[in-house]
Amino acid sequence: LTKAKTFQAYLDSCHRRYSCVHCRAHLANHDDLISKSFQGSQGRAYLFNSVVNVGCGAAEERTAADGAHAVADIYCENCHTTLGWKYEQAFELSQKYKEGKFIIELSHMIKDNGWD
């Protein structure tokens, strides 16, 4: 017998959403997308206001082209793949808008349901 995968949160089926490319767990609604112009460690990434079905690692300081931040890696709670990170703290005033927001790399998500 195989047990069906169950996610902790399901996003509304009538909305366009993003899911984990590895296990199809729901990750975010399109309405929570802030920006498509971010760079992850493995390529392009999107910035989201909120996400579901992700766990968060310990925060650590990292310096990128846009300044120093305290970030925590985020992973899919269903298949445990690292997806991106959460901005815990921005040390530069111009980057404060990122605090509490989430980066998911395009290589780890797919557009799901309702897309043309």
Side-chain angles (χ1 to χ4, degrees):
L1 284 173
T2 10
K3 186 179 175 190
K5 292 182 180 176
T6 55
F7 312 135
Q8 292 190 5
Y10 289 88
L11 298 172
D12 193 333
S13 62
C14 70
H15 287 93
R16 295 181 298 170
R17 63 181 174 243
Y18 297 90
S19 298
C20 176
V21 72
H22 309 285
C23 70
R24 298 289 247 224
H26 297 174
L27 297 175
N29 274 324
H30 184 67
D31 295 345
D32 286 315
L33 177 64
I34 297 169
S35 175
K36 293 181 177 182
S37 50
F38 275 76
Q39 188 67 25
S41 58
Q42 300 175 8
R44 288 185 51 214
Y46 289 0
L47 180 69
F48 290 94
N49 199 40
S50 65
V51 295
V52 296
N53 297 317
V54 299
C56 213
E60 60 183 42
E61 282 190 32
R62 293 185 195 159
T63 303
D66 56 357
H69 301 86
V71 299
D73 286 338
I74 59 171
Y75 58 89
C76 176
E77 285 189 326
N78 191 53
C79 69
H80 305 288
T81 300
T82 299
L83 303 169
W85 61 87
K86 177 182 181 185
Y87 287 103
E88 297 287 353
Q89 184 178 8
F91 299 115
E92 294 182 25
L93 194 58
S94 66
Q95 302 299 308
K96 289 286 187 187
Y97 75 96
K98 295 178 185 173
E99 289 183 347
K101 308 295 189 283
F102 300 85
I103 288 285
I104 299 179
E105 296 185 349
L106 262 60
S107 61
H108 297 299
M109 67 180 175
I110 56 169
K111 293 175 179 178
D112 208 3
N113 194 58
W115 296 92
D116 292 334

